[in-house]
Amino acid sequence: MGEHKTIMGKDLYWMNFFGLMILTLIEVAAVGLDLSPETTGLSYTEKELTLFILVGIGLPKFIMIAAIFMHLWGDEDSKILTLTALFPAFFIIVMILFIGLTHPEATTGLPEWCRPGFYN
Amino acid sequence: MSGEHDEHHHPSAWGPHHWDHGAPHNSWAPLMMSIGFGIFLFMLASAFNNDVVDASYIPLVMVGLLVVLFGLIIWWRQDMSFDGTYEPMSTGTPFKNIQIRKVGMWVFLMSEMMVFTSLFSTYIRYRTGIENCQTVFERGDWVEQGYTLETGEALICFEPASHLIASSWWHIAPGAINTFALIVSSFTIVQALRYASKPVGEIDENRRKKLVTRYLGSTWLLAIIFLTLKMVEWFIGFYVPEISFLGIHEHDIKSLVAEGYMINADHYHHHDWVDPVTGATMLADISVGASTFYVTTGTHGVHVFGGIVGLTYMTLKASRGGYTPKNAVSIEYFGLYWHFVDLVWVIVFPFFYLY
């Protein structure tokens, strides 16, 4: 644990805690409230808007916990430990890629050159 | 503290260890644990073979677990410097001069990320690959195809738990409270670390003991609340009383199991799945969706339970004044695990409960 850090003069952990609480409130509200008026005239549905908000909020929450509570930001060992934490990212990408390739439309929806049986 | 290993001293392979002589270099613990895991897995496979349960193997399963537990206790006694006298440092690249326990915890978390990634990728695969039950219901062709309560034929579709959970504020409540409980607990654990690591002289030792115990105890309590609400959500449900000035009517909130949302639900029907024209009710096999939900959130719950076990020990230790700046890193390393549990929930909550 490094020295006592602050954001805008306030304690870093308190600020992080309040930030996480606010983001979670927005998350719950995005699901509980009727967002259909917000999507009128747009090319996406209410469900897609909700997903967009949830991903948009989930990412900063993830980073805030990892960087501040788990001390991946600002500590002397941060660099190597962040790299360690990111190491599974490679496997995550592989897994998601495999999900894409095993999707029912993978054999018809993909370009011909990456379909099974194309060897030229 | 002595970082130098005494070449003439041969520490016991069973522990406890004299830390003045440096880190131990011999131990029976890994071998014992390997043998224990071997007995456990082999006997477990023998006990549940081809859908037949052979109870005669169960005592041997327990023996395997006991051997693992015994190995763990030896390892713990041997490797842990409970008062922080000696904190072994890593010597090899790329973790040189970083505490071994810290590196070990991060490598462990890395493997945990893989476990949860496989669960998430399974979820994504099924969610995108199998048609959503509500979509099928709204399309309406299930009536002609005969997937109705009357015929008893069920169609396979993906029913996300969020269809039940996000249907009202009351249904979201346990999951939402749990989300806040985990965030608060992440905060309380860093506060415990803060007070435990304050330099001697900067804080009165009694106050340190009180604050560290209070914050660790709060984290423990929040973890208990988390699992209790999970039980309420899965199995028990709850009662909402009449609060007329808020316009709330008396009603029961059913648990997921009471709603029929179970891993073996191959003849499930949601109360809204009634065709307005024919009056037929759609029948669905939702076992895939329910399994991914229960396995993922259950695995997370098991991690919370593991945290409770650790927190029980740590809170008791703190109440006896067991944490000082010398060994406060133990709280930090446990905190890493606990924040990881919170981190996983940050993903589980929106994608399994809300979307």
Side-chain angles (χ1 to χ4, degrees):
Chain A
M1 191 185 168
E3 72 283 359
H4 190 71
K5 298 190 192 82
T6 56
I7 291 181
M8 294 184 290
K10 306 276 181 201
D11 179 74
L12 182 68
Y13 295 141
W14 273 105
M15 292 296 274
N16 198 41
F17 168 64
F18 284 126
L20 288 167
M21 292 295 252
I22 291 164
L23 288 175
T24 308
L25 274 176
I26 298 171
E27 219 171 39
V28 176
V31 173
L33 297 174
D34 178 20
L35 295 177
S36 47
E38 318 301 323
T39 55
T40 42
L42 299 173
S43 58
Y44 45 84
T45 62
E46 185 195 3
K47 197 99 174 145
E48 285 164 345
L49 177 63
T50 310
L51 181 65
F52 181 73
I53 294 171
L54 293 180
V55 173
I57 289 174
L59 279 174
K61 275 178 81 178
F62 196 91
I63 293 167
M64 283 160 79
I65 294 171
I68 295 167
F69 281 160
M70 296 175 90
H71 310 132
L72 282 184
W73 171 64
D75 260 20
E76 52 185 327
D77 313 322
S78 296
K79 200 175 166 187
I80 185 66
L81 293 177
T82 305
L83 284 174
T84 309
L86 286 177
F87 183 69
F90 167 73
F91 295 98
I92 292 169
I93 291 165
V94 168
M95 277 180 168
I96 289 170
L97 211 66
F98 273 112
I99 289 164
L101 287 174
T102 56
H103 190 274
E105 287 173 13
T107 49
T108 51
L110 289 172
E112 196 180 343
W113 56 266
C114 63
R115 283 188 217 158
F118 186 86
Y119 303 110
N120 295 326
Chain B
M1 173 178 153
S2 163
E4 298 297 314
H5 179 66
D6 180 355
E7 293 297 334
H8 303 293
H9 180 77
H10 299 284
S12 160
W14 301 98
H17 180 69
H18 295 293
W19 288 94
D20 288 343
H21 297 286
H25 292 267
N26 58 341
S27 174
W28 291 108
L31 188 65
M32 282 192 67
M33 284 163 65
S34 306
I35 292 169
F37 276 121
I39 297 172
F40 167 70
L41 291 173
F42 192 70
M43 294 305 150
L44 193 72
S46 306
F48 299 95
N49 198 6
N50 292 330
D51 293 335
V52 179
V53 181
D54 187 344
S56 63
Y57 285 101
I58 301 294
L60 287 168
V61 170
M62 302 312 289
V63 167
L65 281 177
L66 277 174
V67 175
V68 172
L69 186 70
F70 192 54
L72 269 173
I73 291 169
I74 290 170
W75 177 28
W76 202 27
R77 286 183 76 212
Q78 214 169 34
D79 247 24
M80 296 289 160
S81 162
F82 293 95
D83 57 358
T85 309
Y86 185 85
E87 191 65 43
M89 306 295 261
S90 179
T91 50
T93 306
F95 299 109
K96 199 169 182 179
N97 292 332
I98 304 177
Q99 288 151 345
I100 283 178
R101 283 202 290 162
K102 191 176 195 175
V103 174
M105 181 52 87
W106 274 107
V107 171
F108 168 67
L109 294 183
M110 207 166 83
S111 70
E112 290 282 84
M113 275 183 229
M114 302 296 290
V115 170
F116 281 100
T117 300
S118 64
L119 293 172
F120 277 116
S121 60
T122 307
Y123 168 72
I124 298 169
R125 170 71 184 89
Y126 285 138
R127 180 110 196 220
T128 55
I130 302 174
E131 204 169 16
N132 189 292
C133 292
Q134 190 63 21
T135 313
V136 176
F137 170 73
E138 283 163 9
R139 205 172 49 228
D141 52 4
W142 53 272
V143 184
E144 307 151 22
Q145 290 163 1
Y147 295 116
T148 63
L149 197 59
E150 291 71 32
T151 62
E153 283 290 311
L155 67 92
I156 295 171
C157 54
F158 193 94
E159 170 73 338
S162 60
H163 187 205
L164 294 166
I165 294 169
S167 61
S168 80
W169 290 106
W170 290 110
H171 282 90
I172 297 178
I177 294 169
N178 272 348
T179 307
F180 290 112
L182 276 191
I183 293 172
V184 176
S185 75
S186 266
F187 179 67
T188 51
I189 197 95
V190 288
Q191 289 296 90
L193 170 62
R194 163 177 289 172
Y195 288 107
S197 55
K198 261 190 194 293
V200 176
E202 252 187 47
I203 185 171
D204 175 66
E205 288 307 312
N206 266 333
R207 187 169 150 73
R208 183 202 303 276
K209 183 171 93 172
K210 211 163 118 182
L211 285 171
V212 175
T213 310
R214 187 182 295 168
Y215 280 116
L216 285 174
S218 308
T219 313
W220 180 88
L221 186 68
L222 288 160
I224 295 283
I225 290 173
F226 183 93
L227 282 192
T228 308
L229 284 177
K230 186 145 288 267
M231 291 300 108
V232 167
E233 174 192 274
W234 282 16
F235 303 116
I236 304 166
F238 59 97
Y239 164 75
V240 181
E242 177 90 27
I243 309 172
S244 36
F245 71 95
L246 287 176
I248 297 168
H249 302 293
E250 181 187 19
H251 63 291
D252 284 319
I253 297 295
K254 280 187 185 175
S255 68
L256 288 173
V257 167
E259 293 267 16
Y261 193 80
M262 291 189 282
I263 55 171
N264 59 348
D266 52 5
H267 282 74
Y268 171 84
H269 55 97
H270 189 273
H271 50 78
D272 276 346
W273 287 348
V274 182
D275 184 62
V277 181
T278 59
T281 301
M282 186 176 92
L283 207 57
D285 179 343
I286 59 155
S287 48
V288 172
S291 299
T292 50
F293 171 79
Y294 284 114
V295 170
T296 309
T297 56
T299 305
H300 179 267
V302 167
H303 282 74
V304 174
F305 180 76
I308 290 173
V309 174
L311 280 165
T312 307
Y313 166 76
M314 289 169 73
T315 310
L316 287 172
K317 183 173 173 175
S319 70
R320 292 170 186 156
Y323 288 108
T324 63
K326 270 170 81 179
N327 64 356
V329 284
S330 297
I331 300 179
E332 183 180 349
Y333 302 153
F334 174 80
L336 287 175
Y337 170 79
W338 194 248
H339 296 312
F340 175 77
V341 171
D342 186 14
L343 213 58
V344 171
W345 187 253
V346 162
I347 308 290
V348 168
F349 181 60
F351 293 102
F352 284 82
Y353 282 73
L354 300 181
Y355 182 67

